[in-house]
Amino acid sequence: MTREVPFTPVTPPPAAVGDVLADIDTPALLIDLDAMEANMALVHQRARQAGVRVRPHGKAHKTPALALRQIAAGAQGLCCQKLGEAEAFAAAGIDDILVTNQLIGAGKARRAAALAGRIRLAVCADHPLQVQQLAEATAAAGTCLDVLVELDVGQGRCGVTSAADAVALAQAIAGQAPGLRFAGLHAYHGSAQHLRSPAERQAAIGGAVARAREAAQALAAAGLPCATLTGGGTGTYAIEATSGVYTEVQPGSYVLMDTDYAANTPDEGTPALGHALYGWCSVISLRPGQAVLDGGLKAFATDHGLPQVLHEGWRVDGISDEHTVIVGSPGAAPLAVGDKLRLVPGHCDPTVNLHDWLVAVRAGVVEQVWPVSARGAMF
């Protein structure tokens, strides 16, 4: 089933336009609009200078209002990781979407074929069965779907593993015209995004570029020119952008940032990005040297570490379902029950996925409240 209208959360928003920070209910997620816009401008400008397109990854924020701002700032379109996310973004008016994943099953193929009748939709494939199911669905729907061959360039997860296999699968896709159109290569090295030093990232992406170049050359030799070669993320986009091989980069977390990405040492000449996403929590219990906040595991993802509390002398000591315990060092800034604090999440994508709303703030005043319409276990 294709979602026809934007999702509206059941829970009430934690703030209203015009509220000040103290008015925002907790726990909530805040977006610092100035920081977000600065990050967007830096990354988009770097890509433009290199002559490549930016196709931001919507899985980082899952919020159509934010995606529309990215497109207004020059983004080509959007990436999604799930077909359900693509349906939610399309319902909000975004009409150029790449699902950077493999779809399997006749049901998903039918949904993709239907969505391809409304927007320019592309998906990835690394197996003939995916191609067959998509071709049958588009033939029945009378639509055309772009399909990119996923190439494993070092992630060790999805993708064909050789140039020869990329050619064979591209030929299978092209053979299903007009329902399917071979659209290029998806070559994303996810684990390289979190390598801490520039030298480590350069080495990893150097290998990815070499594999992608080999596959693209083999496709061209087979009469299947690779119009799009897409990949790269927040940690490495500048390397792919200047490779001379990639035509498009897919940073996602760049508009929000988190403690994990902030731990990377930036590449020389690549400006550091600022934190734009914050958890907003209240002190609900207090004793000497310890405070308890009202946001826990249902407000912060911890797969990349605990959140960082922004109050001088305090650090997160532990987290449970509905609580975060922070402890203060000698001389820590005082706290009182009812105080509200910012915390930087360890990993922005799954943290956003826990919330129905993003509260967009500028200079301490709520400017927008955005539904996180593509959140949840969307298949």
Side-chain angles (χ1 to χ4, degrees):
M1 179 182 297
T2 300
R3 175 175 288 161
E4 297 294 342
V5 295
F7 166 73
T8 301
V10 175
T11 58
V17 173
D19 284 350
V20 297
L21 286 173
D23 298 327
I24 302 171
D25 203 359
T26 59
L29 276 185
L30 309 182
I31 298 288
D32 181 325
L33 285 169
D34 288 330
M36 184 197 79
E37 290 166 0
N39 289 346
M40 200 182 303
L42 287 169
V43 172
H44 291 203
Q45 180 183 17
R46 185 66 184 268
R48 281 194 300 270
Q49 289 172 340
V52 302
R53 301 184 299 270
V54 178
R55 183 180 294 274
H57 218 306
K59 74 182 180 68
H61 55 72
K62 304 170 183 65
T63 303
L66 203 165
L68 290 167
R69 287 185 175 225
Q70 291 173 307
I71 292 168
Q76 168 70 22
L78 201 68
C79 291
C80 295
Q81 197 69 5
K82 297 183 177 182
L83 183 58
E85 292 175 346
E87 290 167 336
F89 283 112
I94 295 165
D95 60 3
D96 186 348
I97 299 175
L98 165 62
V99 178
T100 57
N101 210 349
Q102 288 69 35
L103 304 183
I104 195 69
K108 287 189 179 67
R110 288 193 293 268
R111 287 165 55 203
L115 188 57
R118 297 166 48 207
I119 69 168
R120 182 177 183 270
L121 179 68
V123 302
C124 295
D126 66 0
H127 192 278
L129 179 59
Q130 299 150 4
V131 175
Q132 176 189 335
Q133 291 176 338
L134 292 169
E136 290 171 354
T138 53
T143 57
C144 180
L145 180 65
D146 284 356
V147 183
L148 287 79
V149 171
E150 173 129 15
L151 178 69
D152 183 1
V153 290
Q155 175 74 6
R157 188 170 59 192
C158 298
V160 299
T161 57
S162 71
D165 287 343
V167 170
L169 194 59
Q171 289 171 332
I173 295 164
Q176 296 293 342
L180 303 184
R181 178 171 50 228
F182 170 64
L185 286 172
H186 181 252
Y188 172 67
H189 194 337
S191 55
Q193 307 308 311
H194 306 282
L195 297 173
R196 296 307 181 204
S197 74
E200 290 175 299
R201 295 194 298 275
Q202 287 279 355
I205 299 304
V209 168
R211 293 186 193 185
R213 180 184 290 111
E214 179 190 13
Q217 290 172 343
L219 286 161
L224 292 163
C226 187
T228 295
L229 207 163
T230 183
T234 297
T236 69
Y237 77 92
I239 308 174
E240 283 95 347
T242 55
S243 67
V245 173
Y246 283 76
T247 65
E248 187 175 273
V249 290
Q250 307 170 3
S253 301
Y254 76 107
V255 287
L256 304 178
M257 293 298 286
D258 50 36
T259 64
D260 188 69
Y261 266 119
N264 285 0
T265 301
D267 294 297
E268 185 177 355
T270 301
L273 301 173
H275 289 298
L277 180 73
Y278 298 95
W280 185 238
C281 294
S282 294
V283 176
I284 61 171
S285 183
L286 190 64
R287 63 182 63 174
Q290 176 183 297
V292 180
L293 310 181
D294 61 353
L297 291 170
K298 297 175 185 176
F300 297 99
T302 58
D303 56 311
H304 285 195
L306 296 172
Q308 176 187 352
V309 62
L310 300 183
H311 198 67
E312 185 178 354
W314 293 84
R315 63 175 177 82
V316 173
D317 186 55
I319 190 166
S320 55
D321 283 0
E322 304 291 358
H323 303 94
T324 291
V325 176
I326 62 174
V327 293
S329 60
L335 282 175
V337 170
D339 284 351
K340 295 180 178 180
L341 306 178
R342 293 185 187 227
L343 294 91
V344 181
H347 190 184
C348 57
D349 302 29
T351 294
V352 172
N353 198 51
L354 296 169
H355 293 259
D356 285 336
W357 302 94
L358 294 180
V359 181
V361 176
R362 195 186 307 273
V365 178
V366 177
E367 191 169 293
Q368 299 284 331
V369 183
W370 298 329
V372 187
S373 304
R375 69 168 294 271
M378 305 190 79
F379 55 92

